[in-house]
Amino acid sequence: MKIVLASDHAGFPLKKEVIGALKEIKASFEDLGCHSENSVDYPDFASQVARKVSAGEAERGILLCGTGVGMAITANKFKGVRAAAIGDLFTAKASREHNDLNVLCLGGRVVKPVVAREIVKTFLQTPFAGGRHEKRVEKIKKIEDKNCP
Ligand code: RB5
């Protein structure tokens, strides 16, 4: 599975933990920046990751900013992207099983490193449950087609 990830300055320290977790599970990933704690603008990084997921060039994206919120708002502007800021393991699992989440957003100022590592593994290793959830995700796609042609 191809994974793309990026952060702004506020997410950069936690991104190092996330990269550690990705290496631990031998995931194939590409880091699209940023590369320091110098101030940058999160929409520039969210759009790089979301564009690749939207285009099918990557199956999953991971984005980190201070709260995860700005990244999620930006990523959700791209067709086919289902992004959310996640801070606990229950939501990490449910968002894969129920919502087929394809872009995980983490708050570097909120989520503890040990929790972030587990969230990342859960995000990558939990399959979409399909069934009754399938038709709901299909409804999201229809809403997107109608409102964002
Ligand atoms: C940067 O200060 C901060 O606003 C950003 O990382 C993020 O939390 C926005 O949602």
Side-chain angles (χ1 to χ4, degrees):
M1 181 194 301
K2 169 101 195 273
I3 300 150
V4 279
L5 81 158
S7 71
D8 72 355
H9 53 289
F12 179 71
L14 191 63
K15 186 169 68 173
K16 291 189 231 167
E17 291 289 335
V18 166
I19 287 174
L22 292 174
K23 286 182 176 165
E24 210 178 293
I25 59 169
K26 298 185 172 28
S28 152
F29 67 90
E30 186 185 0
D31 180 3
L32 302 176
C34 65
H35 301 292
S36 77
E37 288 186 59
N38 293 337
S39 184
V40 291
D41 298 330
Y42 62 82
D44 298 336
F45 292 89
S47 52
Q48 287 187 58
V49 163
R51 188 171 296 116
K52 281 188 183 278
V53 173
S54 179
E57 291 168 24
E59 281 174 78
R60 302 277 172 85
I62 302 175
L63 288 165
L64 303 99
C65 62
T67 58
V69 173
M71 290 296 200
I73 291 171
T74 311
N76 279 317
K77 303 295 178 200
F78 287 75
K79 196 174 171 70
V81 168
R82 292 177 298 281
I86 305 287
D88 67 274
L89 281 175
F90 179 87
T91 312
K93 187 163 182 279
S95 65
R96 281 293 311 135
E97 289 176 342
H98 294 207
N99 315 113
D100 201 10
L101 194 80
N102 54 15
V103 176
L104 169 68
C105 302
L106 292 166
R109 293 172 177 160
V110 187
V111 185
K112 298 248 181 314
V114 65
V115 178
R117 293 177 82 109
E118 289 309 309
I119 289 174
V120 166
K121 289 180 195 167
T122 302
F123 169 64
L124 296 174
Q125 294 172 343
T126 306
F128 177 48
R132 69 184 188 279
H133 303 296
E134 182 100 53
K135 76 165 198 259
R136 295 166 185 162
V137 172
E138 284 306 316
K139 284 190 178 191
I140 296 173
K141 289 178 186 161
K142 285 205 179 99
I143 291 166
E144 189 178 56
D145 286 343
K146 194 171 159 215
N147 292 291
C148 320

